């Protein structure tokens, strides 16, 4: 049907979720991520909220402060995450990987031809922790009373290696216009209810 773009180049494969945010030319969403961990499993879920205004970048990666405005990370479990736990999540940034991806895009993608790679911005991001603060929520995610709520999480979880990762899209005028805190609160209610149903749609204003 003429839509096949060919194989993904090696430098753009296996990017973490955080690295994908850093190489994105435009910013049109707000993300709330929750990493759930039990004694034998770990899984990550992300809710994507549409934003009313799309932000375009001519310099990438963006300043770290910009990522802090569009990503929130929650960690749920019986104990605070260790460095090893964090290393299994898709929210770490590797400087070399990001730099190579952007260099390839600038040379080979028309939409990136006028983008400038900022090594100063890249150095703002740590490589051993997520680019934003992690909020810990103490909860026994596998107790009898809430096992049903997290059943879907457990089914997609892994007990070793990189944790599984599922993206949920929530769109609608009442969601797009929420404040940062309101979106995080809405995401918490969604996660706590099990988040079985996904809601797709379009904002009343074109994006």
């Amino acid at each position: 049907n003429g839509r096949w773009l060919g194989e993904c180049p090696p430098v753009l494969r296996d990017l973490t979720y955080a690295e994908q945010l850093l190489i994105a030319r435009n910013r049109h969403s707000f993300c709330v991520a929750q990493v759930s961990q039990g004694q034998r499993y770990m899984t990550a879920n992300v809710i994507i909220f549409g934003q009313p205004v799309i932000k375009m970048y001519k310099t990438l990666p963006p300043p770290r402060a910009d990522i802090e405005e569009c990503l929130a990370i929650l960690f749920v479990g019986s104990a605070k995450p260790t460095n090893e736990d964090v290393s299994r999540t898709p929210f770490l940034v590797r400087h070399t990987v990001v730099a190579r991806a952007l260099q390839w895009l600038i040379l080979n993608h028309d939409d990136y031809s006028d983008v400038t790679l900022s090594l100063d911005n890249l150095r703002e991001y740590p490589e051993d922790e997520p680019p934003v603060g992690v909020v810990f929520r103490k909860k026994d995610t596998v107790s009898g009373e809430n096992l049903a709520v997290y059943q879907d999480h457990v089914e997609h979880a892994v007990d070793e290696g990189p944790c599984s990762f599922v993206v949920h899209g929530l769109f609608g005028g009442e969601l797009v216009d929420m404040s940062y805190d309101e979106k995080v609160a809405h995401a918490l209610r969604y996660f706590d209810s099990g988040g079985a149903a996904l809601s797709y749609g379009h904002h009343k204003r074109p994006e």
Side-chain angles (χ1 to χ4, degrees):
N1 59 8
R3 296 182 179 180
W4 172 243
L5 300 178
E7 292 188 8
C8 181
V11 294
L12 299 182
R13 297 175 190 169
D14 301 322
L15 294 172
T16 68
Y17 186 76
E19 290 166 349
Q20 292 177 42
L21 292 179
L22 266 59
I23 70 170
R25 180 73 195 270
N26 58 69
R27 186 84 58 235
H28 55 74
S29 61
F30 177 86
C31 315
V32 180
Q34 176 169 283
V35 180
S36 301
Q37 183 179 36
Q39 292 182 343
R40 298 181 180 177
Y41 76 89
M42 176 183 286
T43 185
N45 287 267
V46 171
I47 290 183
I48 306 294
F49 295 89
Q51 295 281 58
V53 178
I54 296 177
K55 186 171 184 178
M56 297 292 294
Y57 287 96
K58 289 189 175 181
T59 300
L60 290 173
R64 184 178 177 183
D66 284 18
I67 297 298
E68 293 173 341
E69 294 177 354
C70 69
L71 175 64
I73 300 177
L74 315 170
F75 195 99
V76 175
S78 58
K80 291 184 178 180
T82 64
N83 290 338
E84 182 181 356
D85 294 332
V86 172
S87 70
R88 296 176 58 195
T89 70
F91 306 115
L92 296 185
V93 172
R94 297 163 294 180
H95 291 181
T96 300
V97 171
V98 172
R100 288 176 177 173
L102 284 171
Q103 289 168 347
W104 188 93
L105 288 168
I106 291 170
L107 290 174
N108 296 280
H109 198 297
D110 290 342
D111 291 342
Y112 283 76
S113 61
D114 61 342
V115 169
T116 299
L117 169 61
S118 173
L119 295 179
D120 288 337
N121 285 355
L122 184 57
R123 282 190 284 267
E124 293 181 3
Y125 296 89
E127 292 190 290
D128 58 351
E129 61 184 44
V132 300
V134 177
V135 177
F136 173 66
R137 301 178 67 207
K138 185 176 178 61
K139 180 179 270 189
D140 180 3
T141 58
V142 292
S143 67
E145 64 182 10
N146 59 27
L147 179 59
V149 171
Y150 286 92
Q151 184 175 2
D152 183 64
H153 294 187
V154 175
E155 289 177 353
H156 295 90
V158 296
D159 56 5
E160 62 181 13
C163 70
S164 60
F165 186 52
V166 180
V167 177
H168 308 250
L170 296 179
F171 299 90
E174 73 282 2
L175 301 177
V176 170
D177 295 327
M178 286 180 176
S179 67
Y180 178 100
D181 290 339
E182 288 172 336
K183 288 177 180 177
V184 172
H186 185 88
L188 289 176
R189 290 193 296 270
Y190 179 85
F191 287 133
D192 289 342
S193 69
L198 304 185
S199 174
Y200 295 94
H202 298 281
H203 185 250
K204 58 188 176 183
R205 295 193 299 271
E207 297 184 10

